[in-house]
């Protein structure tokens, strides 16, 4: 059975790139830079974890087939 790996890849890239950009725009709008500072760690943690796991799954499936 083939799994769809596009959705986890998009979700992890959104967590890695999209969330910091979103909080950057909020910080620019409000002038409160704590939004950006406190979002960087969790966004990178979630994004990199998801990206590493997804890329490992993709490379494992390519080796099998």
């Amino acid at each position: 059975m083939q799994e769809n790996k596009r959705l986890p890849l998009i979700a992890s890239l959104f967590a890695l790139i999209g969330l910091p950009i979103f909080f950057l725009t909020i910080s620019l709008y409000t002038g409160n830079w704590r939004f950006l500072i406190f979002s960087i760690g969790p966004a990178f943690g979630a994004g990199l974890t998801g990206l590493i796991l997804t890329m490992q799954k993709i490379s494992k499936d390519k080796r099998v087939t």
Side-chain angles (χ1 to χ4, degrees):
M1 182 173 187
Q2 181 109 13
E3 294 181 32
N4 186 8
K5 294 168 202 74
R6 183 179 292 172
L7 184 62
L9 184 62
I10 291 171
S12 61
L13 288 176
F14 176 75
L16 190 60
I17 299 168
L19 287 177
I21 290 174
F22 173 71
F23 284 109
L24 175 66
T25 57
I26 290 175
S27 296
L28 288 172
Y29 181 71
T30 62
N32 188 0
W33 291 98
R34 290 183 181 156
F35 289 117
L36 180 64
I37 292 170
F38 290 131
S39 73
I40 293 291
F44 283 161
L48 285 176
T49 302
L51 187 64
I52 289 170
L53 291 174
T54 304
M55 295 307 288
Q56 284 178 349
K57 185 76 171 176
I58 289 171
S59 68
K60 180 182 173 186
D61 287 347
K62 282 186 179 179
R63 278 185 275 151
V64 171
T65 58

